[in-house]
Amino acid sequence: MNNSLAKVATVSKLAALIAIALSTSACNKTEAETSSVKVDKTTEAKQFIQDAESTMAELSIEINRSEWIYSNFITEDTAALSASVAEKYTAKSVELATQSAQYADLTLSETDKRKLNILRSSIVLPAPLDPAKNAELAGITSELNGLYGKGKYCFEDGRCLTQPELSAIMANSKNPDELLEVWQGWREIAKPMRPLFEREVVLANEGAKDLGYANLSELWRSNYDMKPDEFSTELDRLWGQVKPLYDSLHCYVRGELNEQYGDEVAPADGPIPAHLLGNMWAQSWGNIYNQVAPKDADPGYDVTELLAKHNYDEIKMVEQAESFFTSLGFEPLPDTFWQRSLFVQPEDRDVVCHASAWDLDNLDDIRIKMCIQKTAEDFTVIHHELGHNFYQRAYKNQPFIFKNSANDGFHEAIGDTVALSITPNYLKQIGLLDEVPDASKDIGLLLKQALDKVAFMPFGLMIDQWRWKVFSGEITPEQYNQAWWELREKYQGVKAPIARSEADFDPGAKYHVPGNVPYTRYFLAHILQFQFHKSLCEIAGDNGPVHRCSIYGNKEAGAKLNTMLEMGQSQPWPEALAAVTGTKEMDAKAVLDYFAPLQTWLDEQNSAANRQCGW
Ligand code: X8Z
Ligand code: ZN
């Protein structure tokens, strides 16, 4: 997956004892002795960083390989092997994270201080000191991943479908009964996850405390070059910028769905039932574009149909996405990418189908793993995944600790930024579209984009609002599901289509919860990608409306992007942001500017139909 120093971790008792011994041995010295001890300590710190870096680099290859094998062949044996490698990796990362704390007060270079900080705070799931608890946590993590990967829903006629197959029904069906059955059926896979997740939270919180954090929430929010609470405030500010646009979109979509399905299925007020939005989690709504398209401003083409018409198979889709990156000046993907990636869902075994990008050897062995569906949606996801791979390769010459994105939102934003350039003009250039629709169809194009991007934003935010409260204890296990739906309603204005109870564990039906992947990164990415797109379009000298701009083929824009990618995590993220945009602030104004004509149009539609917005 993306290189983070550790997904999981523990501290060995011995390491903790050594750390204590080292710190007590520095007590009770004279001043002269103290300064010479400090010099020694500085030398020791530098050596520590160097050793930690080479140890983790070596171990990372082993864990990458074991996780790759496990998620490509889910069996009891691969689960056990990956858990045992994770256990070892975690023990080492927490040991190093704990040791790094003793060098915090020394006068070190900015680079070394940064490396020590990253060593301490980038463990996603730290295990407690007790080796037995570390082993337990590794087992739970692996089991949760397996439960998600193997998850299926079987219909009464005996057909058992996997997550991508069920998602295809959610995307295409207009039959509310069928949608409800699939929505409900998929969530059955999550029920057995609840006790495992609950225990995982206890163990990882204990690990976070051992590392000096109040809880896992504070640890997760410590990776953004600012204080954890400042980060939370920053998120509220960004969401506040976007919310009026989201409210207008929500109001319009709810009104249109009400017209089609009627009051019984899709009420004209209150939250929207979550099974009607074209997506298993109601996280992006582009699949219902046809149901809500403007009558007179529809661009009149559908990328899924264009792909079929031009005989695009899974490989051709990936090749086309690769050629966008090479058009910007990036080197083609290595042969091993094509030999080792997984593109098509195998029929004979369980795999984790959720799309991911990997960097096995921290150099060139980059791959994707994805059960590609031949749809417009997956065409975009392929660009998203390749964005990870091109980022990984761009920072391969950084020291190991900096082989990562500026913050995790940056990693998620690169491929999406490129995909914002899949405009009608671009589709025509690559021979998929015959005729570019004129400007009178812009509202249709913008609406489609908003259904994917703007609709996603509150979802991108709410997952970790839930998890952070779970980690801090504000949400107790008895409230897991109810609190989940309260936040779904608060942020997204959606509701469960049927009654839910604490016998359900709906968060577990979303990959990133059993998979332990922090989610705020996607919210950030949805802000950042519009900032990047706008700046790259300016660099490319495109003076037209930004939603019609494609940076395809523009080497200057590509070079600028590469400057940022090459930096990896070596500098605070505002520096990386400034490398492309000239500003050090995240700002949703780029989102609002992009969608400005749509916002006006939505508000006109909503008031013409006399809709009461809000929920
Ligand atoms: O998980 C992903 C990527 C892999 S990093 C496919 N995404 C989020 C999701 O699917 O929930 C991309 C957008 C949001
Ligand atoms: Zn991603």
Side-chain angles (χ1 to χ4, degrees):
M1 298 272 276
N2 307 327
N3 168 34
S4 60
L5 279 169
K7 281 185 86 181
V8 278
T10 186
V11 178
S12 83
K13 267 189 190 141
L14 183 63
L17 289 176
I18 293 170
I20 292 163
L22 283 172
S23 61
T24 45
S25 69
C27 292
N28 305 324
K29 301 274 177 189
T30 65
E31 216 170 275
E33 279 170 336
T34 309
S35 75
S36 86
V37 166
K38 276 205 170 158
V39 173
D40 284 354
K41 209 62 188 157
T42 309
T43 316
E44 185 188 305
K46 286 188 180 147
Q47 189 62 45
F48 166 79
I49 293 168
Q50 212 177 315
D51 293 348
E53 221 158 6
S54 59
T55 306
M56 293 314 291
E58 204 174 299
L59 276 178
S60 76
I61 298 177
E62 197 179 340
I63 192 145
N64 290 342
R65 290 201 175 121
S66 77
E67 284 191 7
W68 173 266
I69 293 168
Y70 179 39
S71 20
N72 276 280
F73 307 86
I74 307 176
T75 70
E76 289 71 21
D77 304 315
T78 54
L81 287 174
S82 93
S84 110
V85 176
E87 197 182 324
K88 189 168 80 174
Y89 187 80
T90 298
K92 198 60 187 178
S93 351
V94 181
E95 179 186 319
L96 296 173
T98 310
Q99 288 174 348
S100 69
Q102 64 181 300
Y103 305 114
D105 298 332
L106 298 176
T107 315
L108 296 168
S109 67
E110 284 305 313
T111 299
D112 283 343
K113 275 197 265 179
R114 190 164 173 78
K115 286 185 177 176
L116 285 174
N117 263 329
I118 295 173
L119 267 177
R120 179 166 171 254
S121 65
S122 64
I123 305 176
V124 177
L125 211 60
L129 293 155
D130 181 350
K133 289 184 176 168
N134 175 27
E136 187 188 355
L137 183 57
I140 291 177
T141 317
S142 156
E143 197 178 340
L144 281 170
N145 266 304
L147 282 172
Y148 190 93
K150 284 187 291 190
K152 287 181 194 64
Y153 172 65
C154 300
F155 291 89
E156 273 182 6
D157 63 12
R159 272 178 314 140
C160 294
L161 300 191
T162 61
Q163 190 277 312
E165 292 159 347
L166 296 167
S167 273
I169 299 177
M170 296 303 296
N172 298 316
S173 172
K174 310 278 176 284
N175 173 348
D177 296 332
E178 184 182 29
L179 288 169
L180 183 58
E181 180 180 358
V182 171
W183 189 94
Q184 191 177 0
W186 174 246
R187 280 159 180 75
E188 287 297 303
I189 65 136
K191 285 183 176 174
M193 294 177 189
R194 179 187 269 266
L196 295 167
F197 179 80
E198 187 180 335
R199 181 71 183 147
E200 185 181 65
V201 170
V202 171
L203 292 171
N205 260 338
E206 202 178 316
K209 282 190 191 131
D210 287 342
L211 289 176
Y213 296 91
N215 51 49
L216 192 56
S217 163
E218 194 181 277
L219 170 54
W220 279 24
R221 292 181 291 122
S222 292
N223 282 301
Y224 297 93
D225 298 302
M226 59 174 85
K227 295 203 175 77
D229 288 345
E230 285 169 8
F231 180 59
S232 296
T233 308
E234 180 67 352
L235 292 176
D236 292 344
R237 180 183 73 79
L238 293 167
W239 172 232
Q241 284 185 286
V242 181
K243 186 164 164 38
L245 173 60
Y246 180 76
D247 287 350
S248 303
L249 180 69
H250 179 281
C251 190
Y252 172 78
V253 168
R254 183 180 60 189
E256 295 296 307
L257 290 177
N258 173 255
E259 274 177 33
Q260 282 166 49
Y261 287 112
D263 292 344
E264 233 3 55
V265 173
D269 52 15
I272 305 173
H275 62 318
L276 303 178
L277 291 157
N279 176 279
M280 183 61 88
W281 307 275
Q283 68 179 61
S284 49
W285 306 347
N287 290 323
I288 59 159
Y289 171 74
N290 283 339
Q291 282 167 271
V292 300
K295 313 282 169 285
D296 48 0
D298 182 11
Y301 69 87
D302 175 318
V303 173
T304 303
E305 284 164 16
L306 296 179
L307 292 170
K309 188 172 143 199
H310 292 85
N311 293 320
Y312 271 57
D313 62 9
E314 294 84 352
I315 306 284
K316 176 98 173 86
M317 288 167 77
V318 182
E319 284 170 349
Q320 192 62 64
E322 180 201 29
S323 77
F324 201 120
F325 287 86
T326 52
S327 87
L328 297 175
F330 291 92
E331 288 297 313
L333 292 163
D335 290 346
T336 50
F337 170 89
W338 300 101
Q339 292 150 0
R340 299 174 188 173
S341 290
L342 179 94
F343 302 121
V344 181
Q345 180 172 353
E347 282 178 9
D348 57 347
R349 62 178 199 266
D350 290 320
V351 302
V352 177
C353 268
H354 188 88
S356 54
W358 299 62
D359 179 6
L360 274 281
D361 65 351
N362 310 310
L363 286 172
D364 300 298
D365 191 353
I366 44 184
R367 314 174 189 175
I368 64 170
K369 184 172 66 58
M370 182 172 171
C371 304
I372 298 175
Q373 311 269 312
K374 289 175 266 182
T375 61
E377 190 177 359
D378 271 8
F379 192 46
T380 308
V381 176
I382 293 168
H383 288 77
H384 173 98
E385 296 309 330
L386 292 194
H388 287 309
N389 282 153
F390 281 97
Y391 209 156
Q392 287 157 342
R393 203 173 50 180
Y395 58 55
K396 73 173 185 179
N397 293 325
Q398 287 288 344
F400 178 75
I401 294 180
F402 294 150
K403 287 189 193 199
N404 209 337
S405 51
N407 70 40
D408 55 5
F410 282 61
H411 230 308
E412 301 304 335
I414 303 311
D416 284 13
T417 301
V418 166
L420 286 177
S421 282
I422 306 179
T423 55
N425 249 323
Y426 168 70
L427 293 172
K428 184 166 182 210
Q429 262 176 295
I430 63 168
L432 272 179
L433 186 65
D434 296 333
E435 219 173 303
V436 174
D438 64 39
S440 71
K441 310 293 186 235
D442 277 14
I443 291 300
L445 288 169
L446 282 168
L447 180 62
K448 170 77 172 70
Q449 198 72 285
L451 290 168
D452 281 327
K453 303 290 182 180
V454 179
F456 177 83
M457 292 191 190
F459 182 79
L461 198 55
M462 68 74 51
I463 300 238
D464 283 348
Q465 298 292 318
W466 180 81
R467 264 194 295 207
W468 295 344
K469 286 191 165 75
V470 165
F471 296 154
S472 73
E474 201 180 315
I475 296 174
T476 64
E478 298 72 39
Q479 302 163 332
Y480 277 170
N481 221 54
Q482 190 192 333
W484 172 262
W485 283 106
E486 280 166 12
L487 289 167
R488 291 270 263 164
E489 180 166 336
K490 173 180 167 189
Y491 284 101
Q492 291 184 274
V494 304
K495 65 176 182 191
I498 35 151
R500 308 304 280 165
S501 77
E502 294 302 326
D504 300 304
F505 182 55
D506 294 328
K510 177 67 199 163
Y511 168 75
H512 303 70
V513 174
N516 276 307
V517 182
Y519 210 82
T520 306
R521 55 184 63 180
Y522 302 108
F523 173 77
L524 298 177
H526 276 66
I527 307 285
L528 287 168
Q529 62 189 260
F530 287 94
Q531 288 186 265
F532 294 149
H533 180 66
K534 183 177 180 184
S535 298
L536 293 174
C537 286
E538 277 162 20
I539 292 162
D542 191 314
N543 299 320
V546 73
H547 61 271
R548 287 222 168 221
C549 158
S550 177
I551 60 167
Y552 182 61
N554 193 286
K555 299 278 186 299
E556 271 177 64
K560 191 64 137 185
L561 181 60
N562 190 45
T563 313
M564 180 178 85
L565 303 191
E566 277 179 352
M567 289 165 73
Q569 203 181 358
S570 63
Q571 291 183 50
W573 65 259
E575 302 295 331
L577 180 58
V580 167
T581 65
T583 169
K584 295 188 178 183
E585 307 273 326
M586 286 189 280
D587 190 355
K589 189 166 179 302
V591 178
L592 303 181
D593 288 350
Y594 186 102
F595 290 108
L598 181 73
Q599 167 96 58
T600 309
W601 183 85
L602 289 170
D603 291 343
E604 280 165 15
Q605 300 295 309
N606 289 332
S607 66
N610 211 2
R611 291 176 179 139
Q612 302 294 308
C613 298
W615 54 86

